[in-house]
Amino acid sequence: MINYSDEYTKKVKYEIEGKNYKYKINTFGCELNINDSEKIAGMLEEMGFSKTDNDEEANIILFNTCCVRENAEEKLFGKLGEIKRIHEEKGTLVAIGGCMMQEPSMIEKLKSSYKYVDIIFGTHTIHNLPENIYKVLAERKKVKDVINIDGEIVEGIPVKREDKYKASVTIMYGCNKFCTYCIVPYVRGRERSRNPEIILKEIEELSKEGYKEITLLGQSVNSYVGNNKIKNFADLLDSVAKIPGIEIIRFESPYPSDFKDDVIDVMAKNKNISRVIHMPLQAGNSKVLKEMNRKYSKEDFLELVKKVNEKIPDAVFTTDLIVGFPGETDEEFEDTLDIVRKVDFEQIYMYIYSKREGTIAANREDQVPDDVKHKRFNKLKDLYDKRIDEINNRYLGTIQEILIEGKSKNNENMLTGRTDSNKVVVFKPIEKVEIGDLVKVKILSNHKWYLEGEIVQ
Ligand code: SF4
């Protein structure tokens, strides 16, 4: 572990003093990337930059990239094309970081076709951003700062969180699982867990600042390894649950076969741990799971769901599913539909398999044709769509405890928040109730993608 140094933060601050410099960050990808962007924003603000949402106004435009899905690449290159003019006219600095920059082919592409990019940084070198900005500002250098070895855990990076009541805290970096379709272990490195005492101190501070909901993050969050006192994920979860003021604790994403009895027991005894468990299944067929290098079978997954339901009767499951993994037959896909019928998933994030260069599955010759993949995807979507109404209707008449997140985006006169199971609920404001309060809301109607209710005293 190393401590963040603010040596270059001060130098940049001096360099841009009085110039009213602004930054804009474009974030692609998962919660971990969003959390990294909060650190990037934190460092920039310490350097003296302020935030803008307008490219034209920005003095530095940053991209925090993702390489898990193909369309993230298209989005990045589309956006880079758009800002070339701004860079040329105004001298705006352009910096690109994140997972995609850990792929050598991407760096080559940037160097040959997007020569105007000033800073390229990887997933292990985010903390060097002040130094890299200084090199560009003061020394007029282009910077490439990417390392392929697992980076150190850097503590003490300033964080600028968008939300005032909900905060994400990364507890581990990297992944050791090597699922055959996934690029993450190659771009984020091996698992490294943060010191538990430092994590708990950070959450205690967040609680003092008024944060009520904490999400613990990791690529395989329950593979967390602690120390002699707080040994594993179950111990850490139990300790977080005891921090005064933290009313809701979530975690994502757990790996099914690492979801051990101790975690289930800790959840069962601590009511402030969310009952929503995002358990990425990926496929319903055991042979496909084996070929994905997932360490559980269909039967193991069903057994785990049964065990959780026995100890936590109000548990709610959500999941990720991939359709059209190489070699998947129609019969094997039927197992995915079968498990969706058997497990009451409240939400399913569905993906059509797409090749990620550098992974084992991408080199397989038995790729499923696109039309077949789409047909299977639509079948799964139809099945799930039919179930949404059924699931939502179960909420009618129930009273849900909701953290008020703000005004509804579609109706300024309404407030919005989420049920513990992550369903969006809108409701009319009442006197003496403010954003950030926890309120009881009676659910009155179902609008498929959201529920409507009223605050009850
Ligand atoms: S567990 Fe599998 S899918 Fe998740 S990040 Fe690790 S390799 Fe990728």
Side-chain angles (χ1 to χ4, degrees):
M1 183 196 98
I2 53 175
N3 283 318
Y4 174 73
S5 154
D6 64 359
E7 181 193 346
Y8 281 92
T9 302
K10 289 179 187 150
K11 287 186 177 183
V12 174
K13 201 169 183 171
Y14 182 71
E15 199 69 28
I16 68 170
E17 193 139 39
K19 292 182 179 163
N20 191 23
Y21 268 25
K22 294 192 162 59
Y23 72 89
K24 160 121 189 265
I25 305 175
N26 300 283
T27 306
F28 304 107
C30 66
E31 288 298 322
L32 283 146
N33 256 21
I34 294 169
N35 193 236
D36 281 347
S37 287
E38 291 180 336
K39 290 179 188 152
I40 292 171
M43 288 186 279
L44 287 162
E45 301 230 344
E46 296 263 307
M47 284 181 254
F49 289 85
S50 57
K51 188 188 162 195
T52 176
D53 290 325
N54 182 351
D55 288 339
E56 303 281 343
E57 255 182 33
N59 300 90
I60 180 166
I61 299 178
L62 302 101
F63 295 86
N64 189 8
T65 63
C66 161
C67 59
V68 172
R69 312 220 170 269
E70 253 166 352
N71 67 356
E73 267 170 49
E74 288 158 21
K75 273 204 230 164
L76 171 69
F77 291 119
K79 193 79 187 127
L80 269 182
E82 281 171 34
I83 62 161
K84 186 174 183 221
R85 176 192 58 78
I86 301 177
H87 170 81
E88 284 171 354
E89 284 176 14
K90 305 186 175 180
T92 311
L93 261 59
V94 180
I96 309 186
C99 297
M100 218 185 264
M101 297 307 104
Q102 294 293 139
E103 293 183 282
S105 61
M106 280 298 145
I107 295 183
E108 284 316 308
K109 190 166 174 175
L110 285 173
K111 280 189 167 169
S112 61
S113 308
Y114 300 87
K115 292 195 172 79
Y116 55 92
V117 172
D118 297 290
I119 301 169
I120 296 174
F121 60 103
T123 54
H124 306 303
T125 49
I126 288 177
H127 60 286
N128 292 340
L129 191 63
E131 182 176 349
N132 293 333
I133 290 179
Y134 181 76
K135 280 182 184 159
V136 179
L137 284 175
E139 299 166 14
R140 306 273 158 226
K141 283 182 179 164
K142 298 252 181 243
V143 182
K144 178 187 151 244
D145 186 14
V146 180
I147 54 170
N148 289 322
I149 48 162
D150 296 342
E152 288 265 12
I153 290 181
V154 184
E155 295 292 356
I157 299 179
V159 184
K160 171 83 173 63
R161 293 186 160 86
E162 282 293 310
D163 209 296
K164 290 196 181 74
Y165 308 102
K166 301 195 298 185
S168 299
V169 175
T170 301
I171 63 165
M172 61 176 299
Y173 300 91
C175 183
N176 290 354
K177 299 287 193 265
F178 287 93
C179 302
T180 54
Y181 53 83
C182 183
I183 194 80
V184 166
Y186 304 96
V187 295
R188 290 250 172 204
R190 296 296 72 69
E191 286 174 6
R192 284 108 57 212
S193 296
R194 290 178 68 200
N195 175 294
E197 276 83 22
I198 294 176
I199 296 171
L200 294 172
K201 195 160 171 269
E202 182 177 336
I203 299 173
E204 279 161 14
E205 290 298 323
L206 287 167
S207 171
K208 282 183 201 148
E209 288 170 34
Y211 284 89
K212 293 179 180 169
E213 180 175 323
I214 297 293
T215 302
L216 305 176
L217 294 178
Q219 298 291 354
S220 166
V221 72
N222 53 340
S223 313
Y224 176 84
V225 181
N227 56 19
N228 288 339
K229 279 201 222 142
I230 296 170
K231 294 191 179 65
N232 51 29
F233 182 65
D235 290 351
L236 181 69
L237 198 55
D238 202 24
S239 306
V240 175
K242 292 188 172 73
I243 295 177
I246 300 301
E247 302 190 35
I248 304 170
I249 301 146
R250 302 182 190 274
F251 53 88
E252 66 180 68
S253 289
Y255 189 84
S257 53
D258 285 349
F259 211 101
K260 306 284 187 215
D261 289 359
D262 53 0
V263 175
I264 303 173
D265 291 338
V266 166
M267 287 185 72
K269 77 171 188 198
N270 291 292
K271 296 288 177 225
N272 56 349
I273 301 175
S274 169
R275 271 36 196 149
V276 188
I277 304 171
H278 182 69
M279 193 79 87
L281 168 63
Q282 309 300 8
N285 177 270
S286 298
K287 177 177 149 274
V288 174
L289 284 168
K290 194 156 191 247
E291 289 177 4
M292 286 177 161
N293 197 28
R294 303 288 287 182
K295 310 286 185 204
Y296 53 89
S297 64
K298 178 185 181 187
E299 292 68 32
D300 295 335
F301 191 89
L302 287 170
E303 187 54 38
L304 174 61
V305 168
K306 189 170 160 240
K307 209 191 291 178
V308 172
N309 278 331
E310 276 165 10
K311 291 195 176 174
I312 313 169
D314 51 349
V316 165
F317 293 94
T318 64
T319 199
D320 296 331
L321 287 169
I322 299 172
V323 300
F325 183 77
E328 182 191 64
T329 64
D330 281 339
E331 292 71 36
E332 287 161 359
F333 169 66
E334 283 300 319
D335 273 331
T336 295
L337 298 178
D338 182 55
I339 211 161
V340 169
R341 288 188 198 100
K342 286 187 173 133
V343 180
D344 233 357
F345 294 116
E346 283 241 350
Q347 203 153 350
I348 302 176
Y349 301 90
M350 294 170 242
Y351 304 97
I352 292 176
Y353 170 78
S354 68
K355 281 184 181 182
R356 299 314 295 140
E357 288 312 323
T359 60
I360 292 172
N363 291 330
R364 284 180 60 161
E365 285 178 1
D366 51 354
Q367 300 290 327
V368 176
D370 276 354
D371 58 330
V372 177
K373 287 198 272 194
H374 281 95
K375 233 162 104 186
R376 286 182 196 160
F377 181 85
N378 290 336
K379 225 170 160 181
L380 176 61
K381 192 170 167 298
D382 284 349
L383 174 63
Y384 173 58
D385 278 355
K386 275 185 204 130
R387 305 207 66 184
I388 293 179
D389 257 348
E390 198 184 306
I391 291 166
N392 282 356
N393 284 340
R394 289 185 205 153
Y395 285 81
L396 298 177
T398 63
I399 293 180
Q400 301 287 323
E401 196 150 88
I402 309 241
L403 177 69
I404 306 177
E405 291 175 12
K407 288 183 179 170
S408 160
K409 280 190 188 132
N410 299 323
N411 184 348
E412 276 247 312
N413 301 320
M414 301 289 270
L415 294 173
T416 184
R418 283 163 195 274
T419 62
D420 181 36
S421 56
N422 220 16
K423 292 221 170 273
V424 175
V425 180
V426 297
F427 44 92
K428 278 203 186 108
I430 60 165
E431 262 180 53
K432 289 188 194 149
V433 160
E434 292 177 358
I435 294 167
D437 285 349
L438 258 183
V439 288
K440 289 193 165 53
V441 175
K442 184 171 183 187
I443 307 299
L444 300 174
S445 54
N446 161 19
H447 302 264
K448 193 157 186 173
W449 303 117
Y450 69 96
L451 302 167
E452 194 169 333
E454 66 181 14
I455 299 177
V456 288
Q457 306 282 4

